[in-house]
Amino acid sequence: SAVPRAPCRSRPAGGSRRPAEVAAGMAEAADEAELGLLECRVCFERYGPDGRRRPRNLPCGHVLCRGCVEALGGPERRRLECPFCRRPCGLGETSDCLPLLQLLELLGPGARGPSALGRAAGGAAPPRLQLSLGGWGSLLNPTAVAACRTSGRLAVAHDGKKKIHVYGPSGSCLRRFGERGDAGNDIKYPLGVAVTSDGHVVVADGGDRSVKAFDFEGRGTLAVREGFCLPWGLDATPECDVMVTDAEAGALYRLTADFGRGKLKKCQLVRSKLTSPRGVAVCPTSGAVVVIEHLKSKGPSGCSTRMKIFSADMTLIGQMDSFGLNLVFPSKIYTTAVAFDRDGCIVVTDVCSQAVICLGKPEEFPIFNPVVSHGLSYPIGLTYTAHNSLVVLDSGDHSVKIYSSA
């Protein structure tokens, strides 16, 4: 079985090197060798002893993780091409890379590759990538993801022919609906999505500035078009209400409706004078609400984000912008999505560091605890399942990535 070779470093011409330089060069070469050996060179995820990260040999001698082998094989999983030498082969011709598996066994479960943000606070084990859904050709420029806490289904909004994909807990695509058109239940451009606990998919449609509700079969049940300038972010409350941000009006609404009967009960303005609010999250236990504002500023950076935290009665209890976070943390944080985990902690996606970061509970905000610090390209969506699995929407590779802490 072949093992990929680490890149070689040439010695600079002329003169001998001092011992300190030699030691530094050896350490750097060792780091590169570990990365070359222990990471899949397609997805750059670290190999593991089982599951989708298990290293597999191709007949040409190159090594990929099982997840990439299956992805390259396509939906029918018959044939694939080596991404490095283009030699075709069948999935049945691949085999376990025994030398790498033995090396992983020697290193033990505690050995991990370097991380740009470091390990989680307190030495807690980071969540493991459990499942990856979608990808180019299945999802096109995805914009939002939401989870149903009762059924375990996921709803993903994207710009494909049918705008909403519904995935089951096992990762199978159960339904696609929402074509672009002028009919009442068509979806022009989805910016946000939420799923209520009674099983309705609610979509913020920026194309006709409306909020639309569907059941899991794709049947439209309600469309609210009056009053919104540019509805963007959505999140469902435990009472099946939906919080809606209006990015153009600078407002936050609470939508109360009987989605099954298609009856709007109330559309209440709960906060105004916000600055381009987009992402929103509701804590399922305390009822606290976090809103992400997008701020325009002069200078090379051009824009930044600010998080505002409200209590259940919509009293402002805290806020922090990118500049303030940068004074506290080692990385400038540009937030694109927010969610609450099972413990009531605020978790955000950060496109600057390509990471998911926990900022703590509202009463201790902000702390800095990286949750996922590698393997993401451009994370823009975030939610948690009923079992506290972390779901990240990565528009960089048009996929949904599900992480388990178990």
Side-chain angles (χ1 to χ4, degrees):
S1 299
V3 179
R5 297 179 60 188
C8 298
R9 298 182 60 88
S10 59
R11 181 173 175 175
S16 60
R17 300 172 66 188
R18 289 176 291 183
E21 294 175 336
V22 173
M26 292 176 64
E28 187 176 358
D31 286 343
E32 288 185 358
E34 182 182 356
L35 287 175
L37 286 171
L38 300 182
E39 286 188 355
C40 173
R41 306 315 294 170
V42 173
C43 66
F44 297 101
E45 289 283 345
R46 184 180 172 87
Y47 290 124
D50 47 34
R52 295 176 61 83
R53 300 280 76 85
R54 189 174 178 89
R56 300 284 292 178
N57 277 326
L58 302 185
C60 58
H62 291 108
V63 181
L64 307 177
C65 69
R66 176 180 289 172
C68 288
V69 169
E70 293 175 353
L72 290 170
E76 295 182 357
R77 297 184 176 180
R78 292 181 179 177
R79 304 284 295 175
L80 70 144
E81 245 184 20
C82 174
F84 304 107
C85 67
R86 300 301 178 187
R87 175 177 168 180
C89 70
L91 290 181
E93 298 175 70
T94 66
S95 60
D96 283 337
C97 182
L98 298 180
L100 269 180
L101 289 171
Q102 293 167 0
L103 181 58
L104 290 169
E105 184 178 353
L106 287 173
L107 291 174
R112 296 190 56 84
S115 167
L117 293 176
R119 299 193 60 173
R128 297 177 58 185
L129 182 62
Q130 182 182 19
L131 192 61
S132 183
L133 309 174
W136 179 254
S138 175
L139 297 175
L140 177 63
N141 300 325
T143 53
V145 62
C148 179
R149 291 184 176 269
T150 53
S151 68
R153 295 178 181 179
L154 293 176
V156 182
H158 74 126
D159 198 30
K161 183 177 181 180
K162 295 189 176 181
K163 307 298 181 183
I164 305 297
H165 284 200
V166 177
Y167 293 94
S170 64
S172 59
C173 187
L174 304 178
R175 184 75 58 183
R176 299 178 178 91
F177 64 85
E179 295 187 1
R180 180 180 279 117
D182 297 324
N185 293 329
D186 290 340
I187 300 175
K188 296 182 181 295
Y189 191 78
L191 294 173
V193 66
V195 181
T196 62
S197 57
D198 62 355
H200 287 88
V201 180
V202 185
V203 181
D205 191 343
D208 61 3
R209 304 187 177 196
S210 65
V211 175
K212 301 168 182 175
F214 305 82
D215 61 20
F216 272 130
E217 299 301 315
R219 293 184 289 263
T221 61
L222 178 66
V224 182
R225 291 182 171 84
E226 299 80 15
F228 295 116
C229 295
L230 185 59
W232 197 297
L234 302 172
D235 197 22
T237 71
E239 300 80 24
C240 291
D241 291 350
V242 177
M243 306 298 290
V244 185
T245 61
D246 191 322
E248 190 172 310
L252 177 66
Y253 293 91
R254 188 182 186 105
L255 195 66
T256 304
D258 186 336
F259 293 111
R261 296 182 178 180
K263 293 184 178 180
L264 175 66
K265 297 180 178 179
K266 183 167 57 175
C267 185
Q268 179 186 8
L269 174 66
V270 293
R271 293 294 299 194
S272 61
K273 298 181 180 179
L274 300 172
T275 304
S276 189
R278 297 185 188 178
V280 61
V282 181
C283 181
T285 53
S286 68
V289 178
V290 175
V291 176
I292 301 174
E293 296 178 296
H294 286 247
L295 315 174
K296 293 182 179 180
S297 59
K298 297 179 180 179
S301 60
C303 56
S304 61
T305 56
R306 176 171 60 201
M307 279 169 283
K308 284 188 174 178
I309 309 171
F310 302 94
S311 63
D313 61 1
M314 296 308 299
T315 300
L316 181 64
I317 58 177
Q319 67 178 19
M320 182 72 75
D321 59 21
S322 296
F323 178 76
L325 290 171
N326 194 32
L327 295 178
V328 182
F329 304 141
S331 171
K332 178 186 176 181
I333 297 179
Y334 189 91
T335 307
T336 47
V338 61
F340 283 92
D341 68 7
R342 180 171 53 192
D343 299 322
C345 294
I346 300 169
V347 182
V348 300
T349 55
D350 175 29
V351 295
C352 289
S353 61
Q354 301 171 319
V356 176
I357 302 167
C358 177
L359 298 176
K361 297 180 180 180
E363 59 269 22
E364 61 187 12
F365 177 89
I367 63 172
F368 186 81
N369 181 9
V371 179
V372 179
S373 55
H374 67 281
L376 299 175
S377 300
Y378 200 83
I380 62 164
L382 190 66
T383 189
Y384 277 89
T385 68
H387 301 293
N388 209 40
S389 291
L390 172 65
V391 182
V392 182
L393 181 64
D394 192 342
S395 70
D397 58 8
H398 310 270
S399 70
V400 178
K401 297 171 181 176
I402 303 175
Y403 296 84
S404 174
S405 57

